[in-house]
Amino acid sequence: MSALANHAFAKMNGIGNEIVVVDLRESLRDSRAAVTADDARAVASRVPYDQLMVLQPPRLDGTAAFIRIYNSDGSEAGACGNGMRCVVKKLFEASGEAAATFETRAGLLNCWQGPAPDLYTVDMGPPKFGWKDIPLAEEFRDTRYIELQIGPIDAPVLHSPSVVSMGNPHAIFWVDDVDAFDLSRFGPLLENHPIFLERANITLAHIVDRDHITIRTWERGAGLTKACGSAACAAAVAAARLKRANRTVEVSLPGGELGIEWRERDDHVLMTGTATFEYEGRFDPALFAS
């Protein structure tokens, strides 16, 4: 039987990113045995989500939990900034703490109460720009732009994205209007393009000015989403690399706003935003019976 059977969960929201949080720290002794891809898909069939955040017992001293992150198609993600804010809101309100460190597949993430009671900051760590780190199927010495396009060669619809890893792969296409493209059509094609060895999050980004960027994202393994925190980080970093924006910007997503700072002293990317509790529930064991 699944570790999720009859277990409590919290349905939450990170500026439109639908998140389910499950705390298995007390019920799991072996942090390697938690949740399967089939379990994650079963949950999505009953409680639709973008990411499922599963807290397992900590593996490292000084961390609050080891977190596995599942997309709604059952695949695993290395990072989810909006999901992490939901996790820390739930934990901080229960414990009264104001800071914690978590381990994910992407590494250690430090989180703390933001500049206001309803804001939470996640240190997403340093971005990676090497073509092998993203990873890409072929070498590009300069990942500020790569050769990739959709549409006719002489009149491409989208072309020359910036690529970066924020613990997961991102491709950012620079456009004048993020709503002028059918992202639900182009997103799946680009997510699964052979150049992206582990698929990719696909973002349309418009630089409003040096302090403000607007984005829409097709999220790898989840589809069209109202918000993607790591995509906001990736777009902010990519814009700064191109010297088209400052290192501290506001990023507007369909679901709301995020503050992103690419900190110069240590290269870390900080993401600040809200998180909202929606409801609590308990998984029906019959959901996992098959």
Side-chain angles (χ1 to χ4, degrees), residues 35 37-38 73 95 101 114 135 189-190 193 214 226 229 255 276:
V35 176
D38 287 340
D73 69 352
S95 68
T101 299
L189 298 174
L190 290 163
H193 193 283
T214 299
K226 292 182 180 179
T276 305

Side-chain angles (χ1 to χ4, degrees), residues 91-146:
L91 266 59
F92 287 178
E93 290 184 350
S95 68
E97 297 177 349
T101 299
F102 301 89
E103 182 190 3
T104 71
R105 285 178 56 194
L108 296 181
L109 296 181
N110 295 311
C111 308
W112 58 90
Q113 192 80 47
D118 62 338
L119 293 176
Y120 305 89
T121 297
V122 179
D123 182 344
M124 298 289 286
K128 295 180 180 178
F129 307 117
W131 69 276
K132 290 183 179 180
D133 296 321
I134 291 169
L136 302 177
E138 60 184 87
E139 179 179 0
F140 287 91
R141 293 185 179 180
D142 187 353
T143 53
R144 289 177 298 178
Y145 292 110
I146 67 167

